[in-house]
Amino acid sequence: MLEKIHLSIVREVERQGSLTAAADVLCLTQSALSHSMKKLEQKMGTDIWLREGRSLRLTQAGKYLLALAERLLPQLERAEEHLKQYAEGARGTLRIGMECHPCYQWLLKVVSPYLAEWPDVDVDVKQKFQFGGIGALFVYEIDLLVTPDPLYKPGLRFEPVFDYEQVLVVSRQHILAGSSHVDPDQLSEEVLITYPVEIERLDIYNQFLMPAGISPKRHRVIETTEIMLQMVAGGRGVAALPRWLAEEYAGKLDVVPLRLGKNGIAKQIFLGIRESDADIDYLKAFVELARQQAIA
Amino acid sequence: MLEKIHLSIVREVERQGSLTAAADVLCLTQSALSHSMKKLEQKMGTDIWLREGRSLRLTQAGKYLLALAERLLPQLERAEEHLKQYAEGARGTLRIGMECHPCYQWLLKVVSPYLAEWPDVDVDVKQKFQFGGIGALFVYEIDLLVTPDPLYKPGLRFEPVFDYEQVLVVSRQHILAGSSHVDPDQLSEEVLITYPVEIERLDIYNQFLMPAGISPKRHRVIETTEIMLQMVAGGRGVAALPRWLAEEYAGKLDVVPLRLGKNGIAKQIFLGIRESDADIDYLKAFVELARQQAIA
DNA sequence: AACATTCAATGAATATTATTCATTTATTGC
DNA sequence: GCAATAAATGAATAATATTCATTGAATGTT
């Protein structure tokens, strides 16, 4: 009744702007699409498009179908790929979602031994999700979520794999460089460099600056850790990063880590999976490996 | 390539136990199913079933397809119904999920004026979800979630609609009936009656008894509010319920509400929707009506 | 051990459905 | 007003799904 082809047509017409153009992409004729959709409209008893002049505008029903298509087609397409992977003897693809910028460096350390141990599993890392990491897990967009922000909900399972301290990184020439720790007000005249994330999600804001009612002089956003640390080393600002990351770079660049507040900011990284995937061997193995890597 | 029919076959074979039986249900012949699946297996290059004697056992690829089928087919089926509803001039079905037992009584008060105001919208209430209410929202199993437990995540939007106090309900003959409030230790010799929910999710446990290290003498589980209150009135135990609910029954049954602890337990009901649904008029209207009802 | 059943697979025949081709109609831009 | 573009339509055809009739293998029965 409602078939995959209908969803494909609705999606492609939306992308291409016309039946004719969509037909080209789908390797069919305009006539074929027209007939297919006409039949569907008749069966369902409702129009999908309003014929306005020589173009089509989605009806409410059509919009509904479009949303359905955008949601289901990727899952079907992925399924086909997945089946072909099985055919090649591969186990599948482990799709990892990252909700935590600096975790990327840590992840790399886990992924390389993992790939060696599981030659028939591919790893794919995604960083952008329409509905956030949790949503991506729920809708099977990813299989594993790396996040500092776990969520104990039915259907999902989170496990801490790594503890670390979030520290301030400053240039070795910085006035604060020798201090045992920094207080919030010492940052009021600094340029703070962070990853491009909503402010509320930054620990240095909600656990350090905000409680003290302090704002930095300026806030700069930078995508990559390397450049961020280059900037810090050059005295262009300060950044908040995991201590292990800061120490790794301390050899190469003129940067030093500083404790945030007297007690420091303690953080954890969690791995989240769907409960129903809990006994997939190659997934379990990844979590296990991550935990070991964290200890080493 | 991978079509709806393949998913239907995999699901139905699993349900019926054989190709032949599945064929009957699907109004096709055994041969048709065999040919269809064979073609898929050839295209994908992987078997879906292992032929064991005269029966079929799913391969790993097959299990994957089964999971996909169980996930996608309901959405496709729902879509067909939905389109037909559009055809009949109806607006659609508002599927409400409930994660909060006593909310049911409250919901009824909102639903009846809503149905009157929106004659072309159907309302459907669900209470059981494989992946919890949040999961159900994410996978389009429901459109609206009624819960005391909101979750501010991208893709979802929660809104408080109703404040109330959670109180202890006891029989009018109970020794505590005259007290201004109850303390945790006064429940150590009581039978506590609750809805069938995991203990950790009950406020009376995690906000009242557990912090004090107290357990009730016994814990009984009852599905319906009426029976629960009948039991309480009969002196068979005590229950924790919203104050407004308790007061509603106080006229009919010999029960009295008691504050839990000196300050009482304050609760809120939230309505959650998908962000992408935020401008669907009949959904907005429901949330609006719920808020008004709460004030009245 | 023989026989009847049950089930899936298979190849060829057939029915069904999807797609194209050739046109028509309507709209838009020039 | 004319060319260009887009969708719809009906008939012809191609593609495909489905059935029919049969086989072979496994299971159950006497």
Side-chain angles (χ1 to χ4, degrees):
Chain A
M1 206 124 182
L2 175 61
E3 295 297 328
K4 193 168 104 178
I5 186 67
H6 300 123
L7 299 181
S8 299
I9 293 173
V10 170
R11 182 175 69 170
E12 208 55 48
V13 167
E14 200 61 18
R15 287 184 181 170
Q16 305 300 326
S18 77
L19 257 196
T20 312
D24 281 349
V25 176
L26 296 172
C27 298
L28 289 168
T29 60
Q30 172 268 132
S31 177
L33 306 207
S34 180
H35 281 300
S36 285
M37 296 310 290
K38 173 122 225 198
K39 181 173 275 177
L40 179 68
E41 289 180 326
Q42 281 169 348
K43 286 233 174 185
M44 294 305 175
T46 180
D47 281 358
I48 310 254
W49 288 291
L50 292 173
R51 279 69 179 175
E52 293 199 327
R54 62 184 179 191
S55 62
L56 303 173
R57 207 184 72 217
L58 287 170
T59 60
Q60 220 194 342
K63 284 182 191 165
Y64 174 79
L65 268 192
L66 177 61
L68 189 77
E70 300 279 13
R71 189 147 47 85
L72 299 195
L73 288 178
Q75 299 190 48
L76 284 168
E77 285 155 6
R78 145 122 176 120
E80 289 181 10
E81 280 171 37
H82 203 115
L83 288 182
K84 285 178 185 155
Q85 285 188 324
Y86 275 122
E88 291 161 12
R91 304 301 307 283
T93 301
L94 177 59
R95 296 165 303 170
I96 303 175
M98 306 276 306
E99 256 194 335
C100 141
H101 261 89
C103 300
Y104 197 75
Q105 321 285 323
W106 168 80
L107 185 71
L108 292 177
K109 292 189 191 170
V110 185
V111 167
S112 48
Y114 179 79
L115 286 175
E117 235 185 89
W118 294 82
D120 48 3
V121 175
D122 285 341
V123 171
D124 189 8
V125 177
K126 308 196 174 190
Q127 305 211 54
K128 293 259 173 266
F129 319 104
Q130 203 188 344
F131 297 121
I134 300 289
L137 261 185
F138 269 123
V139 305
Y140 283 73
E141 201 176 320
I142 55 173
D143 306 305
L144 184 82
L145 177 65
V146 183
T147 179
D149 197 11
L151 178 67
Y152 299 103
K153 278 279 163 193
L156 299 183
R157 189 175 294 180
F158 280 87
E159 198 173 332
V161 288
F162 185 38
D163 299 295
Y164 65 92
E165 183 190 348
Q166 188 81 343
V167 297
L168 191 75
V169 187
V170 302
S171 149
R172 203 183 299 281
Q173 279 73 48
H174 199 280
I175 337 159
L176 293 169
S179 318
S180 67
H181 72 273
V182 221
D183 288 317
D185 57 286
Q186 295 179 289
L187 297 190
S188 61
E189 288 304 311
E190 295 289 339
V191 176
L192 179 66
I193 306 174
T194 73
Y195 297 108
V197 178
E198 312 85 271
I199 287 191
E200 311 84 56
R201 299 201 45 213
L202 296 168
D203 304 294
I204 188 162
Y205 261 102
N206 58 29
Q207 288 189 45
F208 187 69
L209 296 172
M210 224 188 58
I214 304 282
S215 288
K217 193 175 76 183
R218 216 148 64 77
H219 179 200
R220 281 207 57 165
V221 158
I222 287 183
E223 288 263 354
T224 62
T225 310
E226 268 83 9
I227 307 293
M228 189 182 281
L229 283 164
Q230 298 272 3
M231 299 273 294
V232 171
R236 312 275 209 92
V238 300
L241 289 172
R243 179 180 286 278
W244 57 269
L245 224 183
E247 281 169 352
E248 213 165 275
Y249 280 92
K252 300 179 251 169
L253 290 167
D254 262 2
V255 295
V256 291
L258 289 176
R259 176 152 290 184
L260 283 162
K262 279 208 190 77
N263 306 313
I265 294 183
K267 295 282 302 171
Q268 280 184 301
I269 293 177
F270 294 79
L271 295 187
I273 58 169
R274 286 179 294 273
E275 225 153 44
S276 55
D277 286 354
D279 45 7
I280 295 178
D281 55 0
Y282 64 82
L283 228 175
K284 265 198 301 202
F286 190 96
V287 177
E288 187 51 42
L289 198 66
R291 203 164 21 205
Q292 284 167 15
Q293 180 59 240
I295 295 161
Chain B
M1 207 124 183
L2 174 60
E3 295 297 328
K4 194 169 104 179
I5 185 68
H6 300 122
L7 298 180
S8 300
I9 294 172
V10 169
R11 183 176 70 171
E12 208 55 47
V13 166
E14 200 60 18
R15 287 184 181 170
Q16 305 299 327
S18 77
L19 257 195
T20 313
D24 282 350
V25 175
L26 296 172
C27 300
L28 288 168
T29 60
Q30 172 269 131
S31 177
L33 306 206
S34 180
H35 281 301
S36 285
M37 296 310 290
K38 174 121 225 195
K39 182 173 275 177
L40 179 68
E41 289 181 325
Q42 281 170 349
K43 285 233 175 186
M44 295 304 175
T46 182
D47 281 357
I48 309 247
W49 289 291
L50 293 173
R51 279 66 178 176
E52 291 200 330
R54 60 184 182 192
S55 63
L56 304 173
R57 209 184 72 218
L58 287 170
T59 60
Q60 219 193 342
K63 284 181 191 165
Y64 174 77
L65 269 191
L66 177 61
L68 189 76
E70 301 280 13
R71 188 148 47 85
L72 298 195
L73 288 177
Q75 300 189 48
L76 284 169
E77 285 154 7
R78 145 123 176 120
E80 289 180 11
E81 281 170 37
H82 203 116
L83 287 183
K84 285 178 186 155
Q85 284 188 324
Y86 275 121
E88 291 160 13
R91 304 302 307 282
T93 301
L94 178 59
R95 296 164 303 169
I96 303 175
M98 306 275 306
E99 257 194 336
C100 142
H101 261 88
C103 300
Y104 197 76
Q105 320 285 325
W106 169 79
L107 185 72
L108 292 177
K109 293 191 193 171
V110 185
V111 166
S112 47
Y114 179 78
L115 286 175
E117 235 184 271
W118 293 82
D120 48 3
V121 175
D122 286 340
V123 171
D124 189 8
V125 177
K126 307 196 175 191
Q127 305 212 53
K128 293 259 174 266
F129 319 104
Q130 204 188 344
F131 298 120
I134 301 288
L137 261 184
F138 268 123
V139 303
Y140 284 72
E141 202 176 318
I142 56 173
D143 306 305
L144 184 82
L145 177 64
V146 183
T147 178
D149 196 13
L151 180 67
Y152 299 103
K153 278 278 162 194
L156 299 183
R157 188 173 297 180
F158 280 85
E159 199 174 330
V161 288
F162 185 38
D163 299 295
Y164 64 91
E165 184 190 350
Q166 188 81 341
V167 296
L168 191 75
V169 186
V170 303
S171 150
R172 202 183 298 283
Q173 277 74 47
H174 198 280
I175 336 160
L176 294 169
S179 318
S180 67
H181 72 275
V182 222
D183 287 317
D185 57 288
Q186 295 179 291
L187 297 191
S188 62
E189 287 304 312
E190 295 289 338
V191 176
L192 180 67
I193 306 174
T194 74
Y195 296 109
V197 178
E198 313 87 89
I199 287 191
E200 311 85 57
R201 299 200 45 213
L202 295 168
D203 304 296
I204 189 163
Y205 261 101
N206 58 31
Q207 288 190 44
F208 189 68
L209 296 173
M210 225 189 56
I214 303 283
S215 289
K217 193 174 75 181
R218 218 148 63 76
H219 180 202
R220 281 207 57 164
V221 157
I222 286 181
E223 289 264 354
T224 63
T225 310
E226 269 83 10
I227 307 293
M228 190 181 280
L229 283 163
Q230 296 274 2
M231 299 273 293
V232 169
R236 314 275 210 93
V238 300
L241 289 173
R243 178 179 287 278
W244 56 269
L245 224 184
E247 281 170 352
E248 212 166 276
Y249 280 91
K252 299 179 248 172
L253 289 167
D254 262 2
V255 294
V256 291
L258 289 177
R259 177 152 290 185
L260 282 163
K262 279 208 189 75
N263 305 312
I265 294 183
K267 296 282 303 171
Q268 279 184 302
I269 293 178
F270 294 80
L271 295 187
I273 59 169
R274 285 179 294 274
E275 224 154 44
S276 54
D277 286 354
D279 44 7
I280 294 179
D281 54 359
Y282 64 83
L283 228 175
K284 267 197 301 203
F286 189 96
V287 177
E288 188 49 44
L289 198 66
R291 203 163 21 203
Q292 284 167 16
Q293 180 58 241
I295 295 161

